[in-house]
Amino acid sequence: MAKADYDAIVVGAGFTGLYMLYKLRELGLSARVIEAGSDVGGTWYWNRYPGARCDIESMEYSYSFSPELEQEWEWTERYASQPEILHYLRHVAERFDLRRDIAFDTRVTAACWDEGAALWAVEMDRGERLAAHYCIMGTGCLSSPNRPDISGLGDFAGETYLTGLWPHEGVDFAGKRVAVIGTGSSGIQSIPVIAREADHVTVFQRTANFTVPAHNRPLASEEQAAIKAGYRELRALERHSPGGVGSGPPQSLEPILATPPDELREDLERRWEIGGLGGFLNTHPDTILSAEAADRVAEFLRAKIRETVSDPDVAELLCPASHPMGSKRLCVDTGFHATFNRENVELVDLNATPIERIAPEGVQTSEKLYPADIIVLATGFDAMTGTLARIDIRGKGGAALKDKWAEGPRSYLGLMCAGFPNLFTVTGPGSPSVISNMVVSIEQHVEWIAGLLAELRRCGAATVEPLAEAEDAWGEHVSAVAAPTIFMQADSWYVGANIPGKPRVFMPYIGGVGTYRAICKDVAAKNYAGFAVDGQTIPPPADFTVYLGMTRETEAA
Ligand code: N01
């Protein structure tokens, strides 16, 4: 009979993999982390494009599990740059001596459940095979870059780069003509920086996006010290908030549609001056539920674009109009719209003149050829399911996860899938994940999984698996919460619309980080309601809606 090489295999050495390894060690379990990159960092290892920066404030986009780490680490800016976050994760790996259990430059290609031995057999691209009791996917939600299927792309005579797979040696834009395709977060962050270096930049825009200013600045040491002094309370606020963020302007109590225009303008101006995502997502109770309400904020943001961009025609093209504000990921920028006032920057509206093909000399639209030396593809990711689908994951009876998810991902709590015992998906579809501060959601999942593994050990159980009825009930709840929201009205990557042929399903859980935490906590308290532990089943909670709107106080009571 097969024997386990490790108690657990963890896939990925980003924020998830590092903390999961730390927790597994704390439980006394042996673990191997398998990482495709040559270093730790996950998304922050790969996304090195110019201007790459987190759009959650650094004091909150950081681990909370070690108060010592929290106090020691000094962030230099309000929003940390990619190199600084990578530096932080390297520091975490050293500080907790994590590297010795990580295999770098190794990609997991398959994971197969051996029912007789109750083990996961994990295969790697270097031909190695390892068996473990648990397989924990820390593969990230935005880790499979989308290389668009544009005819002729392979024939381009210049250099082509994907923002999500940026070369480590950097790219020299000096004196070059650069074509940037895509105006999501990655495009919006990189375009102003590329424009300062390149000879000429042509931006190819299919959808204008909403963006708000970062107002990034150095973090004064007094400010940092004050936040550190109140860190426990800030972390508690994050965990019980809708989006995993504890600071920023609060939601107004009054619906936006009932707010007098002058009052609204004043409120939005104040939010604009503060900057950042937090102030603009969920400004009022109705903005997430009504396109008309969201449009009041949209009109404010469009007015800002018209004020900033000197050419009125360009300004109009940059004004988002195809989707409600907030229904696609809101972007946070530094000088994005002002960049279009530069002489060396040009905007091409792909709705009026679509790309026909990439020619060896540049980008050919229906109107003309735009010569280029470099093409930057800021074209996003096969989000949330893409990376898991690329691994041949097979559960009971050899069933493939890819087939199970053919009509859209199905899971219980976004953590586990029926038919796939002892397999965990950290920040998987069906959990708040991309709708939240990822670090807060990662920590919550890692800690919940660690609690479950400790419980399995305590009672000497070998397997845990969600019940099909629990998975169905959770799937219905996730969809029911999303159904009345504006998120269903946009062709976003949240619903898989950016990948041809991907089923249209809203993948994250929008019920809120606090609500979700309360559900997971209650499921565990009820002896893991909705799971089978060594075949012993406990039914799932009868109604997940009772948790909605649960606050820290009601949960504690
Ligand atoms: O990707 P996106 P991203 N022809 O999918 C366009 C996180 N993130 O990498 O909208 C022409 O948002 C596409 O057009 P359309 C964050 O969660 C965070 O920018 O499909 N254009 C769109 O404009 C974010 O939301 C941070 O019409 C094509 C763009 O490419 C997520 O990652 C920084 C095309 C893709 O935008 C993804 O952001 C960066 C084609 N064939 C990213 N295919 C921070 O923390 C696609 N497009 C700051």
Side-chain angles (χ1 to χ4, degrees):
M1 185 145 127
K3 278 190 145 166
D5 298 293
Y6 295 95
D7 288 312
I9 300 280
V10 179
V11 187
F15 267 99
T16 295
L18 295 181
Y19 185 36
M20 194 74 242
L21 175 57
Y22 174 91
K23 284 305 270 187
L24 289 165
R25 280 194 193 160
E26 206 175 57
L27 291 175
L29 298 180
S30 63
R32 190 82 179 143
V33 179
I34 313 295
E35 168 56 55
S38 304
D39 200 353
V40 300
T43 194
W44 300 104
Y45 172 84
W46 300 104
N47 286 270
R48 294 162 184 253
Y49 58 83
R53 187 178 288 286
C54 189
D55 56 13
I56 305 282
E57 296 193 32
S58 47
M59 296 300 288
E60 300 207 48
Y61 189 84
S62 49
Y63 288 122
S64 70
F65 71 84
S66 162
E68 296 78 22
L69 171 68
E70 264 179 349
Q71 294 297 325
E72 285 159 19
W73 184 264
E74 289 285 304
W75 294 103
T76 64
E77 292 177 272
R78 179 183 183 188
Y79 295 97
S81 66
Q82 173 271 332
E84 188 166 15
I85 301 172
L86 188 57
H87 183 40
Y88 171 74
L89 289 172
R90 284 182 176 143
H91 170 76
V92 170
E94 306 299 336
R95 192 190 188 288
F96 299 105
D97 186 24
L98 300 175
R99 284 184 189 273
R100 63 186 157 88
D101 288 325
I102 306 174
F104 293 106
D105 298 309
T106 310
R107 186 174 287 278
V108 169
T109 53
C112 186
W113 176 245
D114 177 340
E115 207 154 353
L119 291 175
W120 279 96
V122 178
E123 285 181 28
M124 279 139 275
D125 57 356
R126 298 169 151 223
E128 201 187 352
R129 278 174 71 101
L130 291 173
H133 299 295
Y134 314 110
C135 181
I136 303 168
M137 295 296 180
T139 41
C141 296
L142 296 158
S143 44
S144 285
N146 169 39
R147 190 181 172 85
D149 186 16
I150 303 176
S151 128
L153 195 51
D155 303 330
F156 180 56
E159 303 155 44
T160 307
Y161 301 103
L162 275 161
T163 48
L165 278 180
W166 202 257
H168 287 202
E169 61 280 13
V171 175
D172 183 6
F173 291 104
K176 302 278 172 58
R177 297 162 302 174
V178 184
V180 183
I181 302 178
T183 49
S185 295
S186 305
I188 281 178
Q189 282 190 332
S190 57
I191 287 162
V193 183
I194 297 173
R196 289 200 293 271
E197 292 176 27
D199 189 46
H200 187 84
V201 177
T202 314
V203 177
F204 294 86
Q205 175 187 269
R206 194 163 66 181
T207 305
N209 259 317
F210 290 101
T211 177
V212 295
H215 296 320
N216 189 32
R217 54 178 162 73
L219 259 185
S221 51
E222 309 79 61
E223 186 186 356
Q224 185 149 191
I227 296 172
K228 284 182 175 177
Y231 238 149
R232 298 278 55 79
E233 181 56 20
L234 177 63
R235 298 306 198 183
L237 286 171
E238 289 168 5
R239 291 184 190 122
H240 295 86
S241 66
V245 174
S247 62
Q251 191 183 61
S252 304
L253 296 174
E254 210 175 19
I256 205 165
L257 292 176
T259 307
D262 287 354
E263 210 177 288
L264 177 62
R265 177 144 194 104
E266 220 172 279
D267 180 26
L268 294 177
E269 281 292 356
R270 194 173 46 86
R271 291 169 185 274
W272 180 267
E273 285 312 314
I274 296 167
L277 280 181
F280 278 89
L281 285 176
N282 255 334
T283 53
H284 295 72
D286 47 350
T287 46
I288 199 182
L289 294 168
S290 145
E292 190 191 345
D295 203 49
R296 300 278 163 97
V297 184
E299 213 24 74
F300 173 85
L301 296 178
R302 287 190 281 257
K304 290 287 182 194
I305 298 171
R306 292 179 188 119
E307 272 170 33
T308 308
V309 179
S310 25
D311 181 328
D313 295 335
V314 175
E316 275 327 294
L317 290 178
L318 289 167
C319 283
S322 67
H323 57 281
M325 199 295 301
S327 59
K328 283 185 151 202
R329 174 65 148 70
L330 184 62
C331 303
V332 178
D333 74 279
T334 299
F336 174 66
H337 289 120
T339 297
F340 291 88
N341 294 335
R342 294 178 66 103
E343 300 246 306
N344 68 335
V345 176
E346 180 178 11
L347 180 67
V348 177
D349 173 17
L350 295 182
N351 296 305
T353 57
I355 296 175
E356 288 186 337
R357 68 191 169 89
I358 305 294
E361 323 77 65
V363 180
Q364 176 71 57
T365 68
S366 58
E367 187 196 25
K368 67 183 230 196
L369 177 85
Y370 292 86
D373 306 303
I374 296 177
I375 296 179
V376 173
L377 298 168
T379 42
F381 300 86
D382 185 351
M384 304 205 74
T385 56
T387 305
L388 292 170
R390 281 167 181 76
I391 304 173
D392 187 13
I393 301 171
R394 292 184 182 264
K396 282 176 162 173
L401 185 68
K402 202 160 74 169
D403 294 340
K404 179 183 168 95
W405 284 5
E407 303 299 319
R410 286 161 52 211
S411 74
Y412 183 37
L413 305 173
L415 273 158
M416 295 193 79
C417 300
F420 295 79
N422 295 10
L423 175 80
F424 299 90
T425 50
V426 177
T427 64
S431 72
S433 57
V434 293
I435 294 285
S436 70
N437 176 349
M438 287 300 290
V439 187
V440 171
S441 289
I442 286 168
E443 285 196 326
Q444 186 256 333
H445 266 190
V446 167
E447 286 160 14
W448 191 92
I449 293 167
L452 171 54
L453 298 188
E455 182 59 15
L456 294 181
R457 290 197 100 197
R458 196 191 60 76
C459 57
T463 65
V464 60
E465 177 190 349
L467 305 176
E469 65 181 280
E471 191 173 83
D472 290 346
W474 182 248
E476 277 166 31
H477 176 64
V478 170
S479 304
V481 175
T485 71
I486 55 168
F487 286 97
M488 305 312 289
Q489 298 175 34
D491 291 333
S492 66
W493 59 258
Y494 294 138
V495 299
N498 63 328
I499 302 296
K502 194 164 173 172
R504 196 185 173 103
V505 174
F506 183 74
M507 294 182 282
Y509 177 57
I510 189 77
V513 161
T515 302
Y516 177 78
R517 173 177 289 268
I519 293 171
C520 291
K521 194 170 153 195
D522 211 31
V523 161
K526 292 185 167 123
N527 293 322
Y528 292 96
F531 288 91
V533 175
D534 273 357
Q536 299 258 25
T537 64
I538 299 190
D543 180 9
F544 291 109
T545 57
V546 297
Y547 299 92
L548 289 171
M550 200 171 241
T551 63
R552 195 168 153 194
E553 289 70 33
T554 54
E555 194 194 330

